[in-house]
Amino acid sequence: MIWRFIGTRHLVARRKQTLIAVLAVGLGIGIVLTSVALTNGFRGQLTDTTKETSPDISVTADGERIRTYQIYVSTIREVPGVTAVTPFITGNGVIRRKDADTAALVKGVEADAESEIFGFRDEMAEGSFTSIDGSTTKIVLGSGVAENIDAHVGDRVTLTTPGGGRELTVTGILHTGSFLDDRYMYLHLDTVQDMLDVGHAASGIDVGTSVEPEPVAVQIRGRTGLETETWREAAQSFAQVIETFQLFDYVFYSLILAIASAGIANVMLMTVMSKTREIGMLKSMGATDGDVMSIFLFEGAMLAAFGSVFGNVLAILLTEAIQMIEITPPEEGPAFVDVIRLNAELTVGDALFVSGFTVLLTLAFSVYPAWKAAKLPPVEALRRE
Amino acid sequence: MSEGYAVRTVALRKVFTNGVEVEALRGVEMAIEYGEFVSITGPSGSGKSTLLNMLGGLDRPTGGNVFVDGIDVSTLDDRDLASLRNRSIGFVFQFHNLLPEFTARENVMIPQLVSGSKKGRAAERATDLLTQVGLSDRLEHRPYELSGGQNQRVAIARALANEPSIVIGDEPTGSNDTETSDRIYDLFRDLNRNTGQTSIVVTHEIELAERADRRIHLVDGQVVDT
Ligand SMILES: Nc1ncnc2c1ncn2[C@@H]1O[C@H](COP(=O)(O)OP(=O)(O)OP(=O)(O)O)[C@@H](O)[C@H]1O
Ligand SMILES: [Mg+2]
């Protein structure tokens, strides 16, 4: 193992250059892995948010209102795995309390089912969600909407819709931590149908399941002929946007890693040039082309390996640090959200892939200098001083 | 007929063709017996180094043959040539013989490691050899911590590391003062007597050359009588 003996000594003897090469590769890997972790985290967060803010299955009729929804609702209730079903109707509204007003979406639902499907029971800042059930005068506000008009449980408010206005009492304030808080007001289904003057119609049907939603959705489509979208499908359509951007990211990452690896190749080329006479000496002692090549490939591999270790440690530290950063939202931002944290998720698979890719790239870049060293005719190498 | 000789050349020619054509060796005929101590002399540019490189398998002839240990070197591929250099030949050059990052002992270990010896065994033998050349107290010194003469002695120890049948020195006394040159030359001589190795040494100091068993004189790439 002459190559390890000599290669190691070269690296130690030129420790400054070794260190710089390791730092360069490590920095490249660290930055790339952290970016990948941030994308992962963002995608994870997006999936989580979509899961929280969407029903397990959303049933619609090609953008049309559903007139005979009661039949569908009872059909859907029969499908195994379904735990809760509510038709809903949405429309625009402006809500006013004293001199303040704000626009939001009005959603009419059967509160019991809606609460179960979205898990609202544990997300009430004030009052209760099911208080609106069967009532024509009660309203639950998203916390952001409530904040805009400084409304609390017990306050009297006026809701104006295209179909007319109505005096209501706030009986609940919903705080989910998501965009729902800023966008929705909830009333009983019949009340909203009445206010919007749409008769007996629903915009769609929210469905909750106790099992994986996909097979249930298939059943629902088969039995009703309506369209379905599971929360996962909803998340995917968002994720597709990210993936388009990721293609650019990969090009960018490859460039960073290529620059770092080329740095190693440069260090190697300089080493080979400064060691010409020694290479001649080694050959006079019987070292083969393969021996000489192995020495320099070993050096390249070691630089890449230590660079990978450093890069991975750096990435772990960076992702930890990023997750500790707390961003305080601006004063007039969404209420109740105290801090926003960036999510970064470093996976073993990504770490292995990026490190492996870099080690291979570095080896590929080291082949040329190593080959140049190996092919030096001994007499010529010995002539150099 | 090359059997029975440690080294033999037949009509050996070497032409360098980079830029202008230089005929460095023009039909060298010589034979060196096993255990012989031969000095090679000649004016600068007469082809001494070129000849040694051919004998040691460091370079290939343009024409003619070189037999080492009865083997026609020109028939060997690069790998076998490397193996020949490793096992049968020990080189000592004029300057910068040693690898600067390694200690004296490690330098002597390297040819042994190249041939696949274990580190422990190589280190033991290196210690022995360095003791023989009078450097038992300089084992862990780096080349830059040693004098010119000490460097050359380490190089001689290294040349002997794999018990080669032929030791080749290209002005191994280096640029040392007369007394040091003398001592290095004597070391070569003694080792040759003690081990029975064939030694071929280029020197420009006639007085030293005279102490060899035989002197081969080169002029203009040809052997001439002295
Ligand atoms: N690689 C080479 N390329 C071109 N010409 C060379 C090469 N090596 C040697 N020569 C030429 O061959 C001739 C013999 O050179 P060589 O080095 O063998 O001489 P030498 O007898 O060793 O001289 P010195 O005593 O100065 O070391 C010289 O004219 C030299 O210029
Ligand atoms: Mg010479």
Side-chain angles (χ1 to χ4, degrees):
Chain A
M1 302 265 255
I2 185 73
W3 41 271
R4 206 174 69 192
F5 187 56
I6 294 178
T8 307
R9 192 60 59 88
H10 282 172
L11 292 174
V12 174
R14 301 166 74 94
R15 52 180 81 74
K16 214 182 259 170
Q17 260 150 309
T18 302
L19 200 69
I20 289 170
V22 166
L23 287 181
V25 171
L27 219 58
I29 292 180
I31 289 169
V32 167
L33 270 182
T34 307
S35 311
V36 170
L38 272 172
T39 313
N40 284 347
F42 181 53
R43 199 202 318 240
Q45 225 163 19
L46 195 72
T47 309
D48 289 350
T49 307
T50 315
K51 186 173 182 180
E52 271 165 33
T53 57
S54 312
D56 293 326
I57 303 169
S58 159
V59 181
T60 52
D62 208 6
E64 299 285 311
R65 289 211 175 98
I66 308 169
R67 301 239 148 245
T68 52
Y69 62 84
Q70 276 113 331
I71 302 165
Y72 293 126
V73 167
S74 40
T75 308
I76 293 169
R77 275 205 185 99
E78 301 292 303
V79 176
V82 170
T83 52
V85 183
T86 172
F88 68 87
I89 179 99
T90 52
N92 294 311
V94 173
I95 189 152
R96 163 186 293 272
R97 182 184 163 271
K98 292 192 177 152
D99 292 333
D101 60 24
T102 189
L105 278 174
V106 187
K107 187 171 184 184
V109 294
E110 284 169 8
D112 241 356
E114 184 83 351
S115 174
E116 183 174 343
I117 295 166
F118 287 87
F120 286 160
R121 190 199 312 268
D122 305 324
E123 296 179 323
M124 298 305 292
E126 293 177 37
S128 91
F129 191 81
T130 48
S131 57
I132 57 172
D133 239 355
S135 164
T136 54
T137 57
K138 292 174 182 170
I139 185 166
V140 167
L141 302 178
S143 59
V145 177
E147 178 104 329
N148 284 345
I149 56 168
D150 193 22
H152 295 277
V153 163
D155 286 347
R156 309 274 302 163
V157 291
T158 312
L159 175 63
T160 313
T161 61
R166 189 174 293 210
E167 289 276 303
L168 300 164
T169 307
V170 177
T171 55
I173 290 174
L174 174 70
H175 177 61
T176 62
S178 71
F179 68 87
L180 294 180
D181 301 346
D182 300 323
R183 205 174 292 170
Y184 279 95
M185 316 183 271
Y186 295 88
L187 291 93
H188 187 64
L189 176 68
D190 296 347
T191 310
V192 179
Q193 283 172 338
D194 194 25
M195 286 185 73
L196 295 174
D197 205 13
V198 294
H200 225 53
S203 311
I205 301 167
D206 288 341
V207 180
T209 63
S210 56
V211 294
E212 286 300 308
E214 283 74 18
V216 179
V218 173
Q219 287 278 321
I220 292 173
R221 276 203 303 278
R223 294 192 195 185
T224 62
L226 297 173
E227 279 156 31
T228 62
E229 187 183 51
T230 64
W231 70 264
R232 227 176 253 123
E233 286 164 340
Q236 252 156 27
S237 52
F238 284 121
Q240 254 154 23
V241 179
I242 304 179
E243 256 137 44
T244 317
F245 283 110
Q246 262 187 327
L247 195 70
F248 295 105
D249 288 350
Y250 286 138
V251 173
F252 182 63
Y253 296 160
S254 306
L255 270 176
I256 290 184
L257 296 177
I259 289 168
S261 306
I264 286 194
N266 190 41
V267 168
M268 304 270 307
L269 214 54
M270 274 161 40
T271 310
V272 167
M273 262 152 50
S274 69
K275 298 246 170 278
T276 305
R277 187 174 164 86
E278 290 175 62
I279 292 165
M281 202 57 71
L282 282 169
K283 286 194 159 186
S284 80
M285 290 187 266
T288 61
D289 291 5
D291 288 334
V292 174
M293 184 128 176
S294 307
I295 290 171
F296 292 100
L297 283 183
F298 171 74
E299 289 181 35
M302 289 312 279
L303 291 176
F306 281 112
S308 292
V309 171
F310 170 61
N312 279 283
V313 171
L314 188 68
I316 290 168
L317 294 179
L318 276 176
T319 46
E320 286 298 317
I322 282 171
Q323 295 190 79
M324 285 196 297
I325 296 172
E326 291 179 349
I327 301 167
T328 315
E331 283 294 309
E332 62 276 16
F336 296 97
V337 183
D338 304 324
V339 286
I340 300 168
R341 278 172 198 272
L342 284 175
N343 216 355
E345 200 184 318
L346 193 60
T347 69
V348 177
D350 287 333
L352 284 178
F353 179 79
V354 170
S355 309
F357 178 75
T358 312
V359 171
L360 284 182
L361 207 63
T362 306
L363 276 181
F365 276 129
S366 304
V367 167
Y368 175 67
W371 179 84
K372 223 173 131 76
K375 281 294 156 199
L376 272 175
V379 185
E380 213 165 286
L382 284 166
R383 286 178 156 265
R384 308 261 185 93
E385 289 298 307
Chain B
M1 273 302 293
S2 44
E3 265 103 281
Y5 291 108
V7 176
R8 194 175 150 196
T9 67
V10 177
L12 181 63
R13 286 181 66 240
K14 179 67 181 180
V15 181
F16 291 107
T17 49
N18 36 343
V20 281
E21 206 163 278
V22 178
E23 196 170 3
L25 299 177
R26 344 170 156 217
V28 173
E29 303 271 351
M30 56 177 248
I32 297 171
E33 293 190 41
Y34 283 105
E36 240 193 317
F37 188 95
V38 173
S39 65
I40 295 180
T41 54
S44 181
S46 58
K48 303 182 296 292
S49 296
T50 307
L51 177 62
L52 286 195
N53 291 340
M54 299 295 145
L55 301 184
L58 275 177
D59 205 355
R60 290 174 183 280
T62 310
N65 307 84
V66 177
F67 298 91
V68 175
D69 257 346
I71 299 163
D72 187 346
V73 170
S74 60
T75 63
L76 300 179
D77 61 18
D78 284 353
R79 230 191 137 70
D80 289 338
L81 208 55
S83 168
L84 177 92
R85 290 196 296 262
N86 181 244
R87 288 165 203 285
S88 306
I89 315 268
F91 281 101
V92 181
F93 300 98
Q94 188 173 358
F95 321 101
H96 306 299
N97 272 293
L98 306 180
L99 305 188
E101 285 104 357
F102 295 86
T103 64
R105 179 161 49 188
E106 287 168 338
N107 265 284
V108 180
M109 285 164 67
I110 285 173
Q112 305 176 67
L113 297 178
V114 167
S115 68
S117 295
K118 290 260 178 299
K119 258 191 187 170
R121 267 209 37 69
E124 260 174 54
R125 175 149 176 80
T127 308
D128 276 359
L129 285 165
L130 285 168
T131 307
Q132 281 183 51
V133 300
L135 290 175
S136 56
D137 55 345
R138 293 285 186 279
L139 299 177
E140 305 304 332
H141 285 59
R142 301 282 174 98
Y144 69 87
E145 296 166 324
L146 298 170
S147 71
Q150 287 170 333
N151 263 292
Q152 291 308 90
R153 282 194 271 162
V154 175
I156 292 168
R158 188 187 61 190
L160 300 173
N162 281 348
E163 301 185 303
S165 49
I166 302 154
V167 180
I168 291 174
D170 192 350
E171 305 203 38
T173 54
S175 47
N176 291 292
D177 56 62
T178 320
E179 204 191 311
T180 310
S181 293
D182 242 39
R183 291 237 299 275
I184 295 167
Y185 200 80
D186 287 344
L187 181 61
F188 247 90
R189 199 56 264 229
D190 293 347
L191 290 167
N192 165 257
R193 288 212 180 99
N194 298 340
T195 61
Q197 273 155 333
T198 310
S199 308
I200 307 169
V201 179
V202 165
T203 180
H204 55 266
E205 291 171 69
I206 301 298
E207 199 223 317
L208 294 180
E210 297 283 321
R211 287 197 234 158
D213 295 337
R214 187 152 62 96
R215 189 175 141 200
I216 293 177
H217 194 64
L218 275 188
V219 175
D220 256 354
Q222 279 177 315
V223 179
V224 298
D225 292 333
T226 42

